[in-house]
Amino acid sequence: GLADIFVFLYFGQVATAMIPYLSPTATTTQAMWLACPLGWLSTGILTVNNLRDRQTDALANKRTLAVRFGDKASRVFYLLLVGGSYSIL
């Protein structure tokens, strides 16, 4: 469950937080907004993987979002992540 949040924060926000320091034209606010699509796409990859492994994860008592909320909700979440990442660009 928490892996999705950590993937978004690390691969989206943390990994691109250095942009304002490397580019004098970028601001911190711009960097954080531009980092969102990267974080959403990274989280989308994790979501698709969790959706594929949902049944075996449930048998192994792994509490991923796909296990907790089910197939349909995971697919909607994936579409929101990918759609949101492309819509913000």
Side-chain angles (χ1 to χ4, degrees), residues 30-41 81-89:
Q30 287 174 328
M32 295 312 256
W33 276 109
L34 292 173
C36 286
L38 299 173
W40 291 334
L41 287 175
L81 289 168
V82 174
S85 66
Y86 284 105
S87 69
I88 202 168
L89 293 176

Side-chain angles (χ1 to χ4, degrees), residues 20-86:
Y21 300 105
L22 299 175
S23 173
T25 60
T27 66
T28 305
T29 305
Q30 287 174 328
M32 295 312 256
W33 276 109
L34 292 173
C36 286
L38 299 173
W40 291 334
L41 287 175
S42 299
T43 307
I45 292 169
L46 178 67
T47 301
V48 166
N49 183 49
N50 288 340
L51 185 60
R52 181 196 66 192
D53 297 337
R54 188 172 57 89
Q55 293 173 345
T56 56
D57 287 348
L59 292 174
N61 291 324
K62 292 183 182 178
R63 303 291 294 160
T64 64
L65 290 181
V67 171
R68 290 179 188 204
F69 297 117
D71 184 69
K72 184 173 178 154
S74 296
R75 291 177 189 272
V76 169
F77 182 54
Y78 174 73
L79 288 174
L80 289 173
L81 289 168
V82 174
S85 66
Y86 284 105

